[in-house]
Amino acid sequence: MEEQGRKGRRLLLFPLPLQGHINPMLQLANILHSKGFSITIILADNFNTSSNNIRANYPHFTFHTISDGISEDEKAKIDIDVLSLLSLFNEKCVPHFRKVLRELVLEDSNIVCLISDSILHFTKAVADRFKLPRLVLRTGGVCSLLIFAAIPLLRNKAYLPLQESRLEEAVEELPPLRIKDLPLFKTCNVDALYQVIEGMIRETKASSGLILNSFEQLEQFSMSKLRHDFPIPIFPIGPFHSHFPASSSSLMSQDQTSISWLDTRPPKSVIYISFGSVAAIEVNDFLEIAWGLANSNYPFLWVVRPGLICGSEWIELLPSEFLERVDGRGHIVKWAPQQQVLAHPAVGAFCTHNGWNSTLESICEGVPMICMPCFGDQMVNARYVSHVWKVGVQLENGLKRTNIENAIRMLMEEEEGKQIKERMLELKEKANLCLKPGGSSYESLRSLTSYISSF
Ligand code: UDX
């Protein structure tokens, strides 16, 4: 009945056009659509991706594509500095977003609100202009959001800028983080980094509400601090992908041989390795991972995304000696159906860069992690995996083949690994329960839908 009452009420959703942000926004769209809302997605032209896959998979949504306003020259440079993309996006997309919002609001009096990625902070001023309530989706964890909010303090206390000699020191104000875990990006423009983060925090606090792809039982302590520091309505309704498994918003085509290959493997025997959609690693690190996998003697499924290895097209740098050694034991693909992979009974451990989606997906399938964070929130997520939830192990001393081999053996064979797996299964159970009637995310979603309906 309630859902009937929302028929025709339309929500505008505006994701940041990167895979790790599009996935949760589309999942949120599906969740809200199932509650009776009509959905319009505004997609900005992305510098390296096409939205055709997405449109095909979501015929029940209306799509509008706008320009991101960034020139070809600027895009060429952005390929090596994602942070600059975020900064430029917030500046250059403004007129294009304003134009489409004006048109949509004039056309349809049933538009209720805008839900924007938290990083797109410029949307606040535009939404205000059209008197449209604006909610924010934080696609990452609460733990890292609080660290981003603490950056002025970290600068005041001289933790930032980073000093090589202090990386192992604890950040006393933010346990269990060490200085090396602070969520920074390699960028030639540090001021732009601070501006994007400052804008995200300021305009999130000024928003009509914050939607989180997380759940109370996972980030209890961080959530209470968030509620104290961000006095706005807060809706932790995750994990999003568990509401609608297998609804894909992949921008790249997913290699289904991943699944047929896993089908031939014994239960819990395979190491799955992926670094998500943005991270890039050096050739030397790539080769150390390869030899760590080879020396572990476990079967592995490895996602080597074109662009993952700096200065290399794909896997042409793998030596023939390695390929002979792992023949039949290793399967390398360009992009996998990750959620299906993690849910497959053959997968025993996940070597991950700890993007928030990968971290949550691993928790929901109860797969213990070997953490190899690269930048930004991944560092914080990895520290929480290894030291707060204790459902994985972190490679503290860099990507060296012996560290990787030892971490795999520890997780797969030793008593410590057994305990990690037990804790992971407990956490998986909590993730399942929160979505059931009476569960925290279930109830929070009810609050969110009635809140949106009240606009
Ligand atoms: C980025 C940032 O790097 C990350 O730190 C932040 O939390 C979100 O934005 P990304 O690096 O792509 O994301 O990582 P992640 O958050 O893990 O998202 C990757 C998504 O792509 C996941 O939903 C995963 O299931 C999917 N994926 C990954 C695939 O579908 N196939 C693959 O082969 C690899």
Side-chain angles (χ1 to χ4, degrees):
M1 285 302 284
E2 254 178 278
E3 271 113 73
Q4 283 299 322
R6 295 183 197 118
K7 276 261 173 307
R9 307 212 73 197
R10 183 166 290 277
L11 313 180
L12 304 182
L13 276 66
F14 188 36
L16 181 68
L18 291 173
Q19 187 73 73
H21 293 254
I22 285 182
N23 283 2
M25 187 64 93
L26 269 288
Q27 288 153 0
L28 174 64
N30 255 347
I31 294 168
L32 294 172
H33 185 265
S34 78
K35 297 295 168 195
F37 294 105
S38 302
I39 302 290
T40 293
I41 308 281
I42 304 171
L43 276 178
D45 271 346
N46 185 217
F47 58 110
N48 62 2
T49 50
S50 129
S51 60
N52 292 344
N53 280 355
I54 300 183
R55 287 165 184 266
N57 284 335
Y58 296 86
H60 47 306
F61 299 161
T62 305
F63 286 88
H64 284 270
T65 304
I66 60 170
S67 165
D68 57 17
I70 305 174
S71 73
E72 288 307 315
D73 276 2
E74 287 163 333
K75 281 175 198 188
K77 287 185 208 142
I78 282 161
D79 265 344
I80 49 160
D81 187 351
V82 169
L83 201 271
S84 301
L85 163 78
L86 307 182
S87 173
L88 270 179
F89 201 108
N90 272 290
E91 183 192 329
K92 304 279 172 128
C93 193
V94 178
H96 306 278
F97 183 70
R98 194 189 300 129
K99 181 168 178 287
V100 77
L101 211 60
R102 177 183 295 116
E103 285 163 9
L104 290 169
V105 168
L106 280 177
E107 255 170 39
D108 189 347
S109 58
N110 284 317
I111 291 173
V112 183
C113 68
L114 169 72
I115 302 179
S116 150
D117 191 293
S118 59
I119 291 176
L120 303 177
H121 55 78
F122 75 89
T123 58
K124 168 70 170 59
V126 182
D128 281 354
R129 194 171 161 153
F130 299 105
K131 300 196 169 35
L132 200 58
R134 168 183 173 270
L135 284 99
V136 160
L137 169 62
R138 161 76 185 154
T139 57
V142 178
C143 49
S144 55
L145 180 63
L146 291 175
I147 312 300
F148 284 128
I151 280 191
L153 170 93
L154 294 166
R155 292 176 78 183
N156 268 341
K157 298 250 172 181
Y159 290 110
L160 294 175
L162 287 187
Q163 294 163 47
E164 282 294 319
S165 58
R166 296 184 59 197
L167 293 180
E168 295 298 330
E169 275 179 38
V171 181
E172 276 166 30
E173 294 79 359
L174 301 167
L177 294 197
R178 301 174 198 184
I179 292 182
K180 69 178 179 184
D181 303 325
L182 294 178
L184 296 184
F185 300 76
K186 279 194 189 121
T187 177
C188 48
N189 193 346
V190 179
D191 287 341
L193 166 71
Y194 292 143
Q195 272 166 28
V196 170
I197 294 173
E198 192 266 326
M200 170 176 85
I201 299 299
R202 185 189 61 241
E203 302 302 14
T204 296
K205 286 183 175 171
S207 73
S208 302
L210 174 58
I211 303 170
L212 297 167
N213 186 13
S214 187
F215 57 101
E216 295 280 353
Q217 292 73 9
L218 182 66
E219 298 196 273
Q220 217 151 22
F221 178 74
S222 301
M223 294 261 187
S224 41
K225 175 145 178 52
L226 182 77
R227 289 198 169 92
H228 178 265
D229 294 353
F230 288 61
I232 51 172
I234 293 177
F235 305 97
I237 62 167
F240 290 0
H241 73 279
S242 299
H243 290 258
F244 294 98
S247 54
S248 172
S249 47
S250 189
L251 295 164
M252 286 171 270
S253 99
Q254 298 175 319
D255 189 332
Q256 292 299 330
T257 64
S258 311
I259 303 301
S260 47
W261 184 83
L262 285 173
D263 288 341
T264 65
R265 297 286 145 184
K268 305 255 174 268
S269 66
V270 174
I271 314 299
Y272 171 58
I273 312 112
S274 167
F275 283 83
S277 66
V278 184
I281 57 175
E282 298 298 330
V283 173
N284 195 44
D285 289 340
F286 173 65
L287 293 175
E288 289 298 306
I289 295 170
W291 284 113
L293 291 169
N295 296 343
S296 77
N297 286 328
Y298 281 92
F300 60 88
L301 170 63
W302 190 0
V303 176
V304 181
R305 190 189 80 243
L308 170 69
I309 309 144
C310 300
S312 164
E313 286 287 311
W314 193 42
I315 56 171
E316 60 280 4
L317 293 175
L318 286 175
S320 52
E321 192 193 342
F322 166 83
L323 294 171
E324 280 157 27
R325 173 104 178 263
V326 303
D327 188 29
R329 176 157 68 85
H331 190 57
I332 302 180
V333 295
K334 291 183 174 165
W335 193 245
Q338 180 164 300
Q339 288 171 28
Q340 280 170 265
V341 167
L342 289 169
H344 196 287
V347 172
F350 184 13
C351 291
T352 172
H353 71 311
N354 288 111
W356 184 248
N357 297 290
S358 295
T359 304
L360 263 190
E361 289 161 14
S362 206
I363 288 172
C364 291
E365 299 305 339
V367 179
M369 288 172 255
I370 295 172
C371 305
M372 306 174 170
C374 297
F375 65 84
D377 66 327
Q378 299 160 16
M379 325 296 272
V380 180
N381 303 338
R383 184 59 65 202
Y384 271 68
V385 166
S386 62
H387 281 69
V388 177
W389 308 315
K390 300 184 177 152
V391 293
V393 56
Q394 187 159 176
L395 297 178
E396 300 286 357
N397 300 313
L399 295 176
K400 298 199 187 92
R401 65 187 73 186
T402 45
N403 296 347
I404 295 166
E405 180 189 346
N406 291 341
I408 293 173
R409 290 193 188 288
M410 186 277 270
L411 215 48
M412 301 296 270
E413 296 164 15
E414 293 172 14
E415 178 57 29
E416 194 182 342
K418 197 168 152 234
Q419 289 172 12
I420 287 176
K421 285 182 211 155
E422 281 165 11
R423 280 192 292 271
M424 185 49 120
L425 290 179
E426 285 166 24
L427 198 53
K428 173 186 175 178
E429 184 58 17
K430 287 182 185 166
N432 284 338
L433 283 176
C434 75
L435 294 176
K436 301 240 157 69
S440 59
S441 293
Y442 180 95
E443 294 306 327
S444 191
L445 177 57
R446 277 167 65 110
S447 310
L448 174 64
T449 49
S450 46
Y451 180 59
I452 295 177
S453 301
S454 71
F455 289 142

